Amino acid sequence: MRTLDHWLGSAWRRSVAAVLAGALPVLSFPAPALWWFAYVALVPWILLARSAPTGRRAALDGWCGGIGFMVAVHHWLLPSLHVFLFLIAALLGALWLPWGWLVRRFLGGVPSPGRGAAALLVLPSAWLAVELVRSWQGLGGPWGMLGSSQWQVEPALRLASVGGVWLLSFLVVAVNVAVAVLVSVRESRVPALASLVATAAATSAAWVWSPRPSDDGRVRIAVVQPGPVGGGDSGDRRFDRAERLTRQLVGQRVDLVVWGESSVGFDLGDRPDLARRIAVLSRETGADVLVNVDAHRSDRPGIYKSSVLIGPDGPTGARYDKMRLVPFGEYIPARSLLGWATSVGKAAGEDRRRGTEQVVMDVGHGLRIGPMVCFETAFPDLSRHLAQDGADVLLGQSSTSTFQHSWAPAQHASLAALRAAETGRPMVHATLTGISAVYGPDGRRLGPWLGTDASTARVYEVPLAHGITPYVRYGDWPVQAALLVLAGLCAAEGARAVRLRRSAPAPHAPRARTVRESPARHGR
């Protein structure tokens, strides 16, 4: 331990250790998908900040760890963003400055049982505040929320229906805090163990109490994944391949056919021939076809990414324009200042335009769908609102072809499990080049994933459910509770500072010195 303390005595070495400790949680997400590791992944980072010699150093440990976390979770963006990835990580990593300070404030030295118990509320609440701020789409969106690492754990999916991914993040951090106390503070092991037992009991009660979605029907939804298409005229070639794959669905009694993001690279108003070809597919399969158009619109200026529903007679008029765009990938924030990003990476040469409202589409057969595009599936509020608006099935149209051989496709596909569990609605994640996946109303996977090497059309039997989950009903209540905890902490710290000022002894005034006048002054 002394050797480690001596090694960490160097400021730069300590910063490197914090960066590496902050990067560890990435192993909990796909592709490694070591979900169990999430419950101890923060322990080295917590122990490091706890041992900081000053609060300022602990805050710096929080910042460096945040940089490591952001780079690790988004490392697959490096070929596209280059140096911008590190700049963004440094800016967003600063959100963990208060978290590092709070770790030392509550766990530094030998924490009393009261401080240890408070840490189990304050530190997870502070983590949720960080996730809340960085979830704003202008800062990159909620990619890599710690709770989303539990997407394949059935009890966790049940808890997601109660409090969304926010509740899972809170519990994962709370367990990490308790484990850190267990391994580092002998005097607080009993309270820490009691906290773990209490957390387990509370989560078990919520798991038992949370309602289970009950199936009340089934639909057959086909996912068309054309796979990678190289060479020139890739838009036309991709369309041709999707058309051939869709024709293989004839006679399979499908209720809906879904193509991935940017599956049509031309506005259908400018290319009515493409609209007619898709309408023929709709007639032949007996199902509407949901495509995604990524092109300049013919009826208004600008590029839009739009989910467009096409029936046997052509476009039905149902259209959803993507609302939340990917920073740098689909638009450049403050382009007048940061437009040079296009010269060092694969940033958007032209900003795409935003839609203004979500849309629930009626595709016939009594089926209503709620489309989302690309990383919109990372936002819990979008799927929640679609469920409130009456969507029977959630749909995500995506394309991670730029990051084909990275962890991104698997990470993206896993998010749909959380959205399904949160809302009690099945979700279809359809991509151009993989990974495509379908999940039932409880978040469990239906059938196989369509990997990045697949070029196919597959039909899924999708169960429907129409109950209202607590998360849909009550929303992001764990975030609100966390903010109340932090507000209470601020009030308590303020009151403590006032008490300290009042109880401090008054400064002693120096005794006045009496100077005797010399007799000469009085003429003596």
Side-chain angles (χ1 to χ4, degrees):
M1 183 63 70
R2 290 181 179 178
T3 303
L4 179 61
D5 291 339
H6 176 74
W7 190 86
L8 292 175
S10 169
W12 73 267
R13 288 175 179 171
R14 189 180 185 95
S15 297
V16 170
V19 169
L20 295 176
L24 287 177
V26 73
L27 300 176
S28 307
F29 299 96
L34 304 177
W35 64 266
W36 51 269
F37 184 64
Y39 294 96
V40 294
L42 297 180
V43 171
W45 190 2
I46 293 172
L47 295 180
L48 187 66
R50 172 187 175 274
S51 67
T54 65
R56 182 177 181 180
R57 179 64 241 191
L60 186 57
D61 291 340
W63 186 16
C64 292
I67 293 173
F69 180 81
M70 295 303 295
V71 170
V73 171
H74 299 87
H75 71 275
W76 43 271
L77 285 171
L78 191 58
S80 296
L81 294 184
H82 297 288
V83 68
F84 261 95
L85 177 60
F86 299 99
L87 175 62
I88 294 170
L91 293 174
L92 294 181
L95 295 173
W96 277 274
L97 280 164
W99 188 78
W101 182 87
L102 286 170
V103 168
R104 184 181 182 276
R105 167 71 176 80
F106 284 90
L107 298 181
V110 181
S112 65
R115 270 204 298 157
L120 289 168
L121 280 179
V122 172
L123 297 182
S125 296
W127 186 280
L128 250 63
V130 172
E131 290 197 337
L132 175 66
V133 174
R134 74 179 186 89
S135 291
W136 180 49
Q137 69 96 17
L139 294 178
W143 191 279
M145 294 178 69
L146 198 56
S148 63
S149 65
Q150 305 303 296
W151 65 276
Q152 56 185 326
V153 183
E154 185 176 350
L157 293 173
R158 289 282 302 282
L159 291 175
S161 73
V162 176
V165 67
W166 307 103
L167 180 58
L168 299 184
S169 288
F170 185 97
L171 294 175
V172 168
V173 177
V175 172
N176 274 273
V177 172
V179 172
V181 173
L182 278 174
V183 302
S184 64
V185 186
R186 184 186 303 273
E187 295 81 359
S188 298
R189 286 177 179 173
V190 172
L193 185 59
S195 299
L196 280 176
V197 172
T199 300
T203 54
S204 298
W207 181 79
V208 171
W209 166 78
S210 60
R212 294 172 171 80
S214 56
D215 297 356
D216 56 8
R218 289 183 174 269
V219 293
R220 291 170 59 82
I221 298 179
V223 174
V224 175
Q225 180 177 297
V229 177
D233 299 326
S234 59
D236 286 316
R237 295 175 63 189
R238 181 183 299 115
F239 187 96
D240 293 341
R241 183 180 295 181
E243 185 179 36
R244 290 196 302 271
L245 292 171
T246 303
R247 193 156 278 121
Q248 296 175 9
L249 300 171
V250 174
Q252 297 194 42
R253 299 180 293 103
V254 294
D255 298 299
L256 176 68
V257 178
V258 185
W259 291 11
E261 177 189 12
S262 304
S263 48
V264 179
F266 311 93
D267 184 81
L268 296 178
D270 290 332
R271 291 290 303 273
D273 58 311
L274 299 182
R276 287 193 294 270
R277 289 166 64 181
I278 301 172
V280 169
L281 294 175
S282 176
R283 290 195 294 271
E284 292 177 346
T285 59
D288 287 355
V289 182
L290 185 72
V291 301
N292 188 269
V293 177
D294 183 2
H296 282 91
R297 288 186 61 163
S298 58
D299 58 343
R300 64 183 65 175
I303 302 176
Y304 288 80
K305 280 192 176 180
S306 306
S307 301
V308 178
L309 189 65
I310 298 178
D313 299 321
T316 65
R319 181 187 189 110
Y320 167 65
D321 297 323
K322 184 179 181 182
M323 298 168 59
R324 297 184 181 174
L325 305 178
V326 180
F328 295 97
E330 295 173 336
Y331 78 103
I332 297 181
R335 182 177 285 271
S336 59
L337 296 176
L338 302 177
W340 55 272
T342 57
S343 63
V344 298
K346 300 177 182 178
E350 179 182 348
D351 290 350
R352 282 166 173 77
R353 305 296 180 91
R354 303 177 189 275
T356 57
E357 61 181 0
Q358 291 184 268
V359 176
V360 174
M361 302 177 180
D362 188 345
V363 301
H365 313 284
L367 179 64
R368 291 166 58 83
I369 61 172
M372 294 171 281
V373 182
C374 191
F375 95 138
E376 288 185 327
T377 62
F379 292 85
D381 63 308
L382 291 182
S383 53
R384 175 173 169 256
H385 292 152
L386 288 171
Q388 289 176 324
D389 291 341
D392 302 310
V393 177
L394 304 175
L395 285 167
Q397 294 176 296
S398 178
S399 171
T400 50
S401 54
T402 304
F403 315 104
Q404 187 77 353
H405 302 293
S406 71
W407 291 356
Q411 283 189 33
H412 202 176
S414 70
L415 297 176
L418 272 299
R419 304 293 87 83
E422 289 167 343
T423 60
R425 299 292 184 272
M427 181 157 182
V428 176
H429 180 75
T431 71
L432 285 183
T433 58
I435 296 171
S436 299
V438 180
Y439 301 90
D442 55 3
R444 288 186 294 182
R445 193 173 70 188
L446 303 175
W449 276 8
L450 303 183
T452 54
D453 58 346
S455 176
T456 186
R458 184 176 182 89
V459 180
Y460 292 85
E461 289 276 352
V462 180
L464 301 179
H466 294 91
I468 302 298
T469 66
Y471 176 70
V472 170
R473 187 180 302 276
Y474 300 113
D476 300 330
W477 63 266
V479 178
Q480 298 162 4
L483 295 179
L484 285 176
V485 169
L486 296 179
L489 172 65
C490 292
E493 291 293 319
R496 178 172 172 269
V498 171
R499 286 197 303 270
L500 289 176
R501 283 199 301 268
R502 289 178 177 175
S503 60
H508 295 286
R511 294 182 62 182
R513 295 173 58 190
T514 302
V515 180
R516 294 187 178 183
E517 298 176 345
S518 65
R521 296 271 312 266
H522 294 279
R524 294 180 182 176

